[in-house]
Amino acid sequence: SGIWGLDEILAGGFSREHMFLVEGDPGTGKTTIALQFLMEGAKAGEKCLYITLSETERELRLGAASHGWSLDERIVVFELLPPESLLDSEQQQSLLYSSDLELGETTKQIFAAVDRVQPSRVVLDSLSEIRLLAQSSLRYRRQILAIKHYFANLGATVLLLDDMTSDVGDKTLLDALLRIEPDLLIASTHARSGLARFLFGSVAEGVARNLRAPTLLLPLGGPQLADASTGALRLARLLLPVSNARDAQTAVDAAVTFARLARCDDPELVL
């Protein structure tokens, strides 16, 4: 690893041709560890690649210089910039931007940079940006699995950095709910759209997709399901969208059962 003390703890350092996750809050030294790992490889004559989705190359070199280090030609820094549409104020609310396309393009550029450099050591900084593009835990895990398989075939030693600043609520809440196995999840949501949805995502929606349980999402600031002071439910009218291609009776029965369990007094069911 190039880090005195850590190599002793790891009985020699990071195992070659394996992938490792370095996780921690911002400012805890993940980038410092990554730079030392690459500089140790460069010292041994290995090709090294630092892929950054969070910091610019200039910021990385200034950070290294603050420690008295210099990144030589054996360490290639690949700076993956955000799409221009995010930086263009006239297009920030446009529906033309697709996180699905950008996630695929980001991964494609990462693989292309690795193919071009053919490094022995790689740092990917950071996973939080990939998680933001994925927008759901399922898509994020699939993307990480694809990256893992790619690097396994490459034969490089890889450090993945994660600053834990995005989707923490998603992971924590989902883990708890999977243990509880609720019959119904009721959650509030910001109901964001456009650029705000891309930047911040939705913890509630991500949890709902992965929980696979009936879910009721309530927009923040809108009419609430229950009275805050008494806890009494405020269900008077249930709107039930029904497709002509399916049996409506199943949906009606489910709505009636929900109303009965919620102890609604003579609710009106609107199809």
Side-chain angles (χ1 to χ4, degrees), residues 153-198:
N153 294 328
L154 181 69
T157 307
V158 184
L159 293 190
L160 304 178
L161 309 187
D162 191 1
D163 61 17
M164 303 173 62
T165 57
S166 61
D167 212 28
V168 175
D170 189 335
K171 293 187 290 186
T172 304
L173 180 58
L174 181 60
D175 289 343
L177 290 172
L178 287 174
R179 289 194 298 270
I180 297 172
E181 298 183 350
D183 296 315
L184 174 67
L185 170 65
I186 301 176
S188 61
T189 175
H190 290 281
R192 300 184 179 101
S193 61
L195 179 63
R197 184 179 181 84
F198 166 72

Side-chain angles (χ1 to χ4, degrees), residues 7 26 33 65 75 144 156 158 160 165 172 179 182 187 205 258 264:
D7 287 339
I33 290 175
I75 301 176
I144 295 302
V158 184
L160 304 178
T165 57
T172 304
R179 289 194 298 270
E205 291 179 26
F258 172 74
C264 302

Side-chain angles (χ1 to χ4, degrees), residues 216-235:
L216 180 61
L217 299 179
L218 303 176
L220 287 174
Q224 297 303 301
L225 181 66
D227 187 285
S229 58
T230 66
L233 292 177
R234 294 173 171 172
L235 293 179

Side-chain angles (χ1 to χ4, degrees), residues 83-270:
E84 292 182 1
S85 57
L86 277 183
L87 305 178
D88 187 346
S89 59
E90 295 182 358
Q91 298 186 42
Q92 285 184 352
Q93 300 300 325
S94 171
L95 294 178
L96 296 176
Y97 183 77
S98 169
S99 61
D100 292 322
L101 293 175
E102 181 57 24
L103 177 61
E105 183 62 26
T106 296
T107 306
K108 182 179 178 181
Q109 290 188 49
I110 290 173
F111 292 168
V114 174
D115 289 340
R116 184 172 61 254
V117 178
Q118 290 294 306
S120 300
R121 300 189 182 207
V122 181
V123 170
L124 179 57
D125 181 13
S126 70
L127 296 185
S128 60
E129 276 69 25
I130 295 177
R131 188 184 295 117
L132 282 172
L133 289 172
Q135 293 191 348
S136 76
S137 296
L138 180 60
R139 291 181 64 229
Y140 171 68
R141 288 168 185 153
R142 286 176 177 171
Q143 202 67 29
I144 295 302
L145 187 60
I147 292 173
K148 181 177 182 294
H149 285 168
Y150 172 82
F151 282 121
N153 294 328
L154 181 69
T157 307
V158 184
L159 293 190
L160 304 178
L161 309 187
D162 191 1
D163 61 17
M164 303 173 62
T165 57
S166 61
D167 212 28
V168 175
D170 189 335
K171 293 187 290 186
T172 304
L173 180 58
L174 181 60
D175 289 343
L177 290 172
L178 287 174
R179 289 194 298 270
I180 297 172
E181 298 183 350
D183 296 315
L184 174 67
L185 170 65
I186 301 176
S188 61
T189 175
H190 290 281
R192 300 184 179 101
S193 61
L195 179 63
R197 184 179 181 84
F198 166 72
L199 291 175
F200 302 105
S202 171
V203 171
E205 291 179 26
V207 168
R209 289 191 204 98
N210 290 278
L211 184 60
R212 299 186 181 278
T215 305
L216 180 61
L217 299 179
L218 303 176
L220 287 174
Q224 297 303 301
L225 181 66
D227 187 285
S229 58
T230 66
L233 292 177
R234 294 173 171 172
L235 293 179
R237 174 178 293 183
L238 299 179
L239 176 61
L240 187 61
V242 176
S243 170
N244 292 331
R246 299 191 178 185
D247 181 13
Q249 190 59 50
T250 302
V252 172
D253 292 343
V256 170
T257 300
F258 172 74
R260 185 183 300 117
L261 291 173
R263 298 180 181 179
C264 302
D265 296 328
D266 299 323
E268 179 183 356
L269 186 60
V270 181

